[in-house]
Amino acid sequence: MLSPITVNMASLNFATLSPMLIAIAGGLGILIIDLAKKDLDKTLYVILTVLVLFVDLGVTLGLEINQKGLFGLIAMDGITMLGEIIIIVASMLFIPLSLTSKRFHEFSYPEFFALFLFMIAGFQFMVATDNLILIFVGLETASLALYTMIAMHNTVGAHEAAIKYFTMGALTAGFFVMGSAIIYALTGSVELYDVSKILLNRLDEPGITIPILGSIVMMMVAIGFKVSLFPFHAWTPDVYEGSSAPMAGYMSIVPKIAMMIVAIRVVEPYIDLGIDIVRYIVIAMAVITMTLANVMALLQDSVKRMLAYSSISHAGFVMAAIALGTTKANSSIFLYYFLFLFTNLGAFTLLWISRHKDKTHDTRYHHPYIKFAGMIHIEPVAAVVMAIFMLSLAGVPPFSLFWGKMYVISSAVDAGYIWLAVVMALNSAIAVYYYLKLIVYMFLIETPEGSETIYNNRSLAIEIIVGIAVFVTITSIFYIQPLNSFINYLVSASGY
Amino acid sequence: MNDILSILIFFPLVAALLGLVVAEKSIRAYGISVAAVEFILSLWLWFAFDGNDGQMQFVRQIAVIPDFGISYYVGVDGISLFIVIMATLMTLIGIIALNVEHKIKNMILTLLFLEVAMIGVFVSLDAIIFYLFWEFSLVPMLYIIGAWGGEKRLYAAVKFFIYTFAGSLVMLVGMLYMAYVYNQVTGVWSFALTDWYSLVLPVEVQNWLFWAFFLGFAIKVPMFPFHTWLPYAHGQAPTVGSVMLAAVLLKMGTYGFVRFSLPMFPDASVLYITPVAILALIMIVYTAMVAYAQKDMKQVIAYSSVSHMGVIMLGVFAMNVEGISGSVFFMLSHGIVSGALFLLVGVIYDRRHTKLISEFGGLASVMPNYALIFGVIMMASVGLPLTMGFVGEYLSLAGFFKVSPVMALIGGTSIIFGAVYMLNLYKKSFFGPVTNIANQNLKDLNRKELAALVPLVAIVIWLGVYPKPILKPIDNSVKVWVSLMHQKAQSKLAKDTIIVSKSSKEAK
């Protein structure tokens, strides 16, 4: 005797789905335009993508927070809102970087822009739900699109990067599914807000820690891979090296913040339940990640690899905040990533303007340090801007990331983890060496005879994006207060 | 005129940014005029300053990040006033004496940025704003050493940066913890120093915080064993870099002790007098011996400057008015004297492109004016009475004598050692026959060099004979802070050690 299923259309709550739907519709629209008329210029697609994202951003900002949608699957809470804003803003800054003066393979395909919008929709699903299955769907949609976009750069390195990222990604997706399965076996639910409620009653059962530990370890493999935490970080430098520079910058921000939001949703319930082993695992991973990546970054000969290791280290830094679990720590994650977005994307973009078809200065790397020697004489403005980005990444005040670092360290101090704060401080001190190394090359080492770098990939679009990034980096002191209170409001409204 | 401090901070910043427009060939005149205006502004500050009032004056507080208690909060008292004036003076002198030809525009604009950071550090009353200027001062200095330095300039510049940066990050953790404690007690966030002063911390907490701040400041001073970056920095830096480094940047460390460590952690400071004093004594004696062993004139002066910083540290940790105001005065005289000495070495280096003592001899007969000025400044460095060097050194040691006569006595050997290595240097390079043919036709000081050096000599003698106009405001402010410390101190040891009134007889 099955009762007929009644679906309450009110619980569909279409509005909460609108950000993803706009991105998907935009992607389909681009495909249809391509179908109707061939040989349209990439500028059209770039601007259309920006416009779609603009509408998307407007709709996202207009949503009310703390509502459910799609039959309860979409959780439109404060951190969803923040995640979507960061994803869309980063994407809007990224996509105009394809308007370079040199032609690149991937941007000549309209499919690139369609895939890009589908990927954004995937990430938006990922951040907007409590449901492990929907997170997985979002994760896979986004990742498959991303692998393809990397491969479309169409160099040997890019193919290697895409294959490497794909195989590793497929493996860790398996871990994510297994972790979800264990959680389902434990609680009978894939809704993360149910999980903590059910687990609370089962905590006293003997032998329960092993499946709990199993679930968190599986989940941390998947999370650690996407966020590039030790020991799942090894793909990062190779993939960044193979991708185009702005793509590498983009990958250091958007997939990571999306996965960090998942990490918050997965890890916080365990920490709130008082399962300390989870906290120790996350802190250990974070500390090892930031330290090891820093040491590795010291040894790099390529600026791009250095920036890859530096973004691993930054991810570890922020991951430590997740383990703290306080509202201030969770707010500082978003503050940090919002500031990191502009600085890091700007830094990668400046590698982009020096992109050349051939490896001009080194047999192996596109961007060895020596390429930037004496940049101050060739491109003084770009050198100064790059130096500002480096100082900001190093955490030198008054540039933006100093405030991010300060909030993260301060939340570690507040939570009673003084040793963690000191480790973070010392790591920042190690990190300053490799950022300074680039500054030293740009300002203080003379250009070797006959190997002047030609910065011929620049264009007005790139200059505008870098201009925005540097403006945000320099003027941070004036907007930290409203930005942080906005973030704090949204994070505490969603109960984290 | 309440905003004169903000004008002092931001005038060089605006001038440096606008200076990008000024043509390279006129940039020296631009730099000198900007630095002169800044110096006059700082003198104006002095005239407007009420020397009888030991409290903070010209205070201005504007909230920047109110949720987190960070505000643009500046003020000046007798302790910081004269260091600010010295910073503007030494910048002016440094730019007048500037002798680089290569990329002079970058150099002058960098010096103006450095001036912003230096003044900002000394007038900030908010810990984060202080930290902001403190860290920012590293960037121009990195560029000065790295772009105009000697052969190993890159190593020296990066070492300088990383050492200081590492220390100050630990200090930042200390600051954040301090703010957290303040928040626990009062329920609001604040990084304002005046708020932190009102906090009486448990001794246990003080101990940890003391060492966190100690690391940041000690590296800057630089205390033994963190001093190894300094000889490199001095050895490789161009003349103006060494002048700014020795005259002003090192004072940030000792100033930090006076402004942060002592009033905030009086019990811990008293508790750790002995270890800190031992480090200071090692600094005094050891680096003085190292100075004697140097073959390079600039290294002699670099090490002598470290040695004298040890005496300043002793004075700071004397925990009484005499010692602390003596050490503040010594900061000023050390700034002017060591700055002048580096300028003097720069003069001879320009002519001969070597700084080795063995290359010289008999300079007194070739360059009489140079020898005279060098002699006067050297005497001040040694601490001859009636020069500026004597007043500070005497007061610092006299202050520490009340804490520990034996250690003060060992500290006093700095005068003897100083005399040994400085007179040795002077004898070898200035007296005797002119042995090296290259020295026979050296030109004496030119107008530019005289314009830079004569004012310094005048100040050295004036303040040596009559230090009162400066010593009195310093004294008044130090009294305010020492009585605050006395009032806050919890342990009996600290109450006994921190002596407010000037004479120990009155205290009984």
Side-chain angles (χ1 to χ4, degrees), chain A residues 328 376-377 391 394-399 402-403 405-407 409-410 413-416 418 421-422 425-426 428-429 432-433 436 439-440 443-446 477-478 480-481 484-485, chain B residues 64-68 70 102-103 106 128-129 131-133 135-136 139 142-143 145-148 153-154 157-158 161-162 165-167 169-170 172-173 176-178 180 183 189 191:
Chain A
K328 186 173 174 185
I376 184 73
H377 305 303
L391 291 175
V396 174
F399 303 119
F402 165 71
W403 305 102
K405 274 189 200 269
M406 192 188 81
Y407 272 97
I409 294 179
S410 170
V413 169
D414 294 359
I418 309 283
V422 174
L426 292 180
S428 304
V432 78
Y433 179 78
L436 273 189
I439 294 179
V440 164
F443 283 78
L444 306 176
I445 291 180
E446 293 302 317
I477 190 168
F478 300 108
I480 290 292
Q481 161 71 19
N484 194 50
S485 65
Chain B
V64 177
I65 307 179
D67 284 359
F68 204 43
I70 298 170
H102 177 56
K103 290 189 284 189
N106 295 14
I128 293 295
I129 302 297
Y131 184 80
L132 196 148
F133 285 117
E135 292 287 54
F136 195 72
V139 181
L142 172 88
Y143 188 50
I145 299 176
W148 290 277
R153 59 183 186 274
L154 297 181
V158 172
F161 195 103
I162 290 178
F165 196 72
L169 276 164
V170 175
L172 178 66
V173 175
L176 292 170
Y177 189 72
M178 191 74 197
Y180 168 69
N183 182 38
W189 286 96
F191 283 90

Side-chain angles (χ1 to χ4, degrees), chain A residues 342-381:
Chain A
F342 290 96
T343 305
N344 212 36
L345 200 61
F348 273 106
T349 306
L350 284 172
L351 298 184
W352 187 226
I353 64 165
S354 70
R355 176 69 157 74
H356 197 269
K357 209 160 81 247
D358 307 311
K359 293 172 181 168
T360 44
H361 290 73
D362 191 282
T363 49
R364 185 170 162 204
Y365 303 122
H366 269 297
H367 305 286
Y369 278 100
I370 192 73
K371 185 175 178 182
F372 300 92
M375 190 174 173
I376 184 73
H377 305 303
I378 306 167
E379 284 280 341
V381 176

Side-chain angles (χ1 to χ4, degrees), chain B residues 341 344 347-348 362-379 426 429-431 443-445 450 453 457:
Chain B
L341 281 172
L344 287 164
V347 166
I348 198 74
L363 285 181
S365 55
V366 191
M367 303 169 70
N369 291 343
Y370 179 66
L372 175 69
I373 291 180
F374 201 112
V376 174
I377 299 288
M378 181 198 68
M379 289 305 166
Y426 199 71
S429 30
F430 286 88
F431 295 144
K443 289 207 170 61
D444 207 349
L445 297 175
L450 282 173
L453 287 166
V457 173

